[in-house]
Amino acid sequence: MPQKIRPNRARRKTHLLRSCAIAAVSGLVFAAPSPGLSINLSYDSSVTALSYASSVETATQYAANQIQSLFSDNITLNINVVASSSSSVFGHSTTPFHYSYSYSTVRSDLLATSQTTTDTTAYATLPASPDPTDGGSFFFSTSEQKALGLIAANGTANDGTFTFGDTVNWDFNSSDRDIPGEYDFIGDAEHEITEAMGRIPGLDQSFSGHSLYSDYDLFRYTAPGVRSMNTTDSGVYFSIDGGVTDLMDDNPPGGGDLDDWATGIADSFDSVFVEGTENDISPVDVAAVDVIGFHAITPHILNHVGNGTWNTAASWTPGNVPGNGDAAYLTYDDGANHNITYDYTGSAVTLYSVTLDLDNATGSESSELSMSANNLTVNGYETIGHIGVGFFNQSGGVNTINGENGLFLGFNPGSTGTYGLSGSGTLAANANETVGYKGAGVFNQSGGTNTIGGSHNLILAYNTGSSGAYTLSGGSATVTGSVFVGGSSSTAGGTGTLTVSNTGHLTVDGAVKVYGAGRVNIDGGTSTIGGLSIASGGVVNVNGALIIDYGSGFDPISSVAAWITSGYAGGAWNGPGIISTAAQTNGGSYGIGYADSADPGNPAGLSSGEIEIAYTLLGDANLDYKVNGADFTLMAANFNDAVTHGWDKGDFNYSGAVNGDDFVLLADNFNQFASQSAVSAADLAALNSFAGSNGISLANVPEPACVGITAIAGLGIIFRRRRSPSPRRT
């Protein structure tokens, strides 16, 4: 069965300037009762003429139904749907509006129709004076006017147009919105329809000769209490509580619509859509539409206050424990420590998201969530360290993350997110885990189980300037996709480090790709990966054993040999590629060896389709951690052969030839082994005879004894070898 590939950021969504129909300001008209929000769709001939018109209509109606189900306003919105054959069009909207409203009128109209807790919180931040725009003029979309009771609720005039590009490879399937190579049409329809409803910036920009603001502008912040009312600010975010809580980051200048969300979290309101990714409406999206005059049926944003436990209603605003579909924010701006214990034991719920953050930390202060039992499940994302510092310490229980987004540690520049997994804790992510997105991410695992399913990836240091470190010293980490160290699946990023040590157990079904600022340390434990790629400057430091399980695919042994030869650097073991810091201090006796199951006779005893890379004694050709007659036989069979050979054929100094220099290295370690049975006198006699017949002078041939490779244990290295056959991946 083919697997879904989850590519990261593909190409950015094309944006066009939004055109807006201008109408005269009308007087107050009270809305007549109707059964609830209704979106009336009409289709232009450019749509109905398409061979796949029925798919467009079904998917657009699905998007409209989702929006209708979220808001209680008794109004009818009339949206036209148009297809564009221009290759530059992805999706855009037009929004008819009325203008020349003052700030005081906008504030009064919003307050007069306030119904939800989101309204109450958001409108309380609107001061009677001073006017944040200093006398600016505002507009309302016709959709907002209907919601606010300013024009007839069921008027038949057009309220906006959703235009999509018919050259885009769209995914119209409502039950499978993340098909590789296709874009989520439903998410785009939701994006553009809500823009037609009024989710657009004004920011004193010129619209048909008029410089105008939108009510949506009033909820843009760069810091608590600091609104952004212009087009040039960076670091802008959407907030309903005066900027205290960063609910979602706005698009930066020069990157498309300023009130779309910035990249990072897959969302219907994103400025960028990505192939193979579902873009759902989130609770924050609902709040964004709620604050511009519409009324959400169930607001789903909750903020934790103070310290203490999760399962206390009084600890949350509004006053209830987060439930199904809720976005839970444990975010603070007071520079004090906040410690929260996850003790939820009620009926199973699935949250949308969890954000853990402390902005303006002045030292070691942080926001910390501890979980030792029970279940936490989210369908959107968990962000630890959004713009500040956050810790998630899990020693028990099950933390499950589903959906398109997954786990983010260190989301924005300057943030730090740390996840500690220990004891019996289980982290199950059917999504990517990103350790260091734009900030600093740290994942320390000393126990428990971390599973990344659904062919998703572990990403360390996604963007330039970020850092991401994953240390696996105990427990197990299983990645069904790939691991990207110092970048994403498509581009190099920041500084990434993956370390496996002690009793840690790493399994990666896909490949491990190490970018130029990436480093992998194999210091012990067990590590099995499906492939390996090392970019220029990248380093894999092997002080233990690494298995590449390439299965029935292409055998990468030549690349492995080249990386090790590069890292060998004439015996210094500090070159680019595969190195060994242990061999740097023990290079006279130790190095990095490799063996392939495809070797004649498979002397290393590997399962079919495996390569092993291991820190071991020089001369240990078959990687059994001892140097004896078996290794001598392998080397002798290729001695002075004109064909280029590698370690597994006796080339222990990576010169490309098997000669006297290699024999000396083997002889110096002969009879060094881990078991307690001595090398036979016959083996020693054969060694001396071979030296004599080939004119090789040996200064010191070891006597039969058990010197032992146990000296390696002094470096704190534990070897785990898998010799039994394993199931093949299909």
Side-chain angles (χ1 to χ4, degrees):
M1 177 181 295
Q3 293 181 328
K4 288 184 177 180
I5 307 300
R6 307 286 178 146
N8 287 282
R9 299 292 160 188
R11 64 180 179 87
R12 75 174 301 277
K13 176 181 172 183
T14 301
H15 289 268
L16 301 183
L17 291 175
R18 286 170 167 76
S19 58
C20 299
I22 304 296
V25 178
S26 56
L28 180 65
V29 177
F30 291 96
S34 63
L37 178 61
S38 175
I39 298 177
N40 178 35
L41 301 172
S42 60
Y43 297 94
D44 183 76
S45 59
S46 60
V47 176
T48 57
L50 296 172
S51 60
Y52 52 91
S54 61
S55 296
V56 172
E57 294 178 15
T58 299
T60 308
Q61 188 62 59
Y62 183 92
N65 290 345
Q66 281 201 316
I67 297 170
Q68 289 173 163
S69 70
L70 296 170
F71 300 96
S72 62
D73 304 274
N74 294 323
I75 60 176
T76 298
L77 305 182
N78 305 298
I79 304 295
N80 192 29
V81 183
V82 176
S84 171
S85 59
S86 171
S87 60
S88 65
V89 173
F90 186 90
H92 71 88
S93 64
T94 57
T95 307
F97 63 80
H98 294 181
Y99 63 96
S100 294
Y101 294 95
S102 67
Y103 166 73
S104 61
T105 298
V106 168
R107 178 178 179 272
S108 176
D109 287 341
L110 292 175
L111 286 169
T113 59
S114 177
Q115 294 181 11
T116 67
T117 55
T118 298
D119 292 339
T120 301
T121 301
Y123 301 160
T125 69
L126 302 178
S129 65
D131 173 358
T133 67
D134 194 24
S137 182
F138 282 76
F139 67 85
F140 280 136
S141 68
T142 58
S143 298
E144 290 174 285
Q145 287 187 303
K146 288 181 176 181
L148 295 169
L150 302 178
I151 61 175
N154 299 311
T156 58
N158 175 258
D159 293 303
T161 300
F162 158 40
T163 301
F164 66 91
D166 66 14
T167 63
V168 177
N169 192 21
W170 293 111
D171 172 6
F172 298 104
N173 190 346
S174 61
S175 61
D176 191 1
R177 293 168 57 185
D178 54 0
I179 297 174
E182 298 182 0
Y183 290 91
D184 180 13
F185 183 88
I186 291 170
D188 188 59
E190 293 165 345
H191 181 113
E192 305 300 347
I193 290 173
T194 56
E195 284 191 345
M197 291 167 66
R199 187 185 59 81
I200 54 176
L203 300 174
D204 205 26
Q205 297 178 90
S206 178
F207 292 85
S208 299
H210 301 274
S211 294
L212 302 172
Y213 293 91
S214 75
D215 51 350
Y216 196 30
D217 297 343
L218 297 170
F219 306 100
R220 290 166 46 92
Y221 290 85
T222 57
V226 183
R227 283 189 168 87
S228 172
M229 305 299 291
N230 61 70
T231 62
T232 58
D233 284 342
S234 58
V236 180
Y237 56 91
F238 171 66
S239 178
I240 63 173
D241 59 2
V244 174
T245 306
D246 176 351
L247 296 180
M248 198 73 79
D249 300 315
D250 282 331
N251 210 28
D257 292 345
L258 292 174
D259 281 344
D260 284 349
W261 307 143
T263 59
I265 294 173
D267 188 283
S268 177
F269 290 5
D270 281 354
S271 64
V272 173
F273 272 26
V274 179
E275 293 174 329
T277 300
E278 180 173 344
N279 293 77
D280 282 326
I281 288 182
S282 71
V284 179
D285 300 342
V286 175
V289 177
D290 193 332
V291 299
I292 62 173
F294 297 89
H295 302 97
I297 292 174
T298 306
H300 285 289
I301 293 178
L302 294 101
N303 291 81
H304 195 276
V305 293
N307 298 308
T309 63
W310 178 288
N311 199 31
T312 302
S315 296
W316 295 92
T317 302
N320 55 275
V321 177
N324 287 318
D326 287 347
Y329 286 83
L330 299 94
T331 64
Y332 310 91
D333 188 55
D334 54 8
N337 276 324
H338 291 272
N339 299 293
I340 305 96
T341 300
Y342 185 79
D343 61 342
Y344 182 80
T345 58
S347 301
V349 297
T350 299
L351 306 179
Y352 180 78
S353 64
V354 173
T355 301
L356 185 64
D357 206 29
L358 174 65
D359 191 16
N360 295 328
T362 57
S364 61
E365 297 87 357
S366 68
S367 175
E368 180 174 340
L369 177 64
S370 297
M371 179 179 182
S372 61
N374 308 315
N375 296 309
L376 172 62
T377 303
V378 302
N379 264 353
Y381 55 88
E382 292 182 12
T383 301
I384 315 302
H386 184 199
I387 56 176
V389 180
F391 287 83
F392 192 137
N393 290 320
Q394 183 187 4
S395 60
V398 180
N399 181 14
T400 303
I401 308 172
N402 298 314
E404 293 296 329
N405 292 296
L407 176 68
F408 292 93
L409 305 179
F411 191 83
N412 277 306
S415 65
T416 301
T418 302
Y419 200 108
L421 182 61
S422 62
S424 61
T426 296
L427 173 59
N430 189 32
N432 290 341
E433 293 181 11
T434 303
V435 182
Y437 180 64
K438 292 181 180 178
V442 178
F443 197 121
N444 293 321
Q445 183 178 356
S446 60
T449 302
N450 181 17
T451 301
I452 302 176
S455 297
H456 288 92
N457 307 313
L458 173 62
I459 304 168
L460 309 181
Y462 191 113
N463 286 289
T464 301
S466 66
S467 64
Y470 194 120
T471 300
L472 176 62
S473 60
S476 65
T478 301
V479 184
T480 60
S482 296
V483 176
F484 302 99
V485 185
S488 67
S489 63
S490 56
T491 58
T495 303
T497 305
L498 171 64
T499 301
V500 183
S501 64
N502 297 327
T503 59
H505 181 78
L506 173 68
T507 302
V508 182
D509 289 350
V512 173
K513 181 168 185 177
V514 186
Y515 284 97
R519 183 183 181 97
V520 174
N521 298 307
I522 305 298
D523 291 333
T526 58
S527 300
T528 301
I529 64 178
L532 181 63
S533 173
I534 306 175
S536 176
V539 171
V540 175
N541 175 30
V542 179
N543 299 317
L546 173 65
I547 298 288
I548 301 177
D549 182 2
Y550 63 89
S552 59
F554 176 76
D555 187 343
I557 191 65
S558 59
S559 295
V560 169
W563 288 323
I564 297 176
T565 301
S566 174
Y568 175 69
W573 286 111
N574 59 3
I578 298 178
I579 70 166
S580 174
T581 52
Q584 288 173 16
T585 55
N586 296 280
S589 298
Y590 298 99
I592 301 175
Y594 67 88
D596 190 350
S597 64
D599 290 340
N602 190 13
L606 296 168
S607 296
S608 177
E610 286 188 344
I611 292 171
E612 181 172 11
I613 305 168
Y615 173 70
T616 187
L617 284 163
L618 297 173
D620 178 18
N622 62 1
L623 300 189
D624 62 356
Y625 304 112
K626 54 189 175 184
V627 181
N628 56 19
D631 305 300
F632 169 63
T633 300
L634 286 170
M635 189 216 69
N638 301 290
F639 194 77
N640 283 337
D641 196 326
V643 179
T644 299
H645 291 296
W647 172 285
D648 47 353
K649 303 296 191 299
D651 179 18
F652 306 124
N653 63 359
Y654 295 98
S655 67
V658 180
N659 54 30
D661 293 336
D662 302 298
F663 179 79
V664 170
L665 293 173
L666 180 145
D668 285 346
N669 284 323
F670 205 68
N671 203 23
Q672 304 263 348
F673 51 91
S675 67
Q676 293 300 312
S677 59
V679 173
S680 69
D683 281 343
L684 288 175
L687 188 74
N688 277 307
S689 174
F690 186 88
S693 63
N694 286 280
I696 302 171
S697 175
L698 296 179
N700 182 24
V701 177
E703 296 297 326
C706 182
V707 178
I709 198 173
T710 52
I712 297 177
L715 299 174
I717 298 170
I718 300 172
F719 287 96
R720 300 278 189 261
R721 302 289 308 288
R722 184 181 66 193
R723 290 303 183 199
S724 58
S726 61
R728 296 260 50 81
R729 295 177 292 114
T730 59

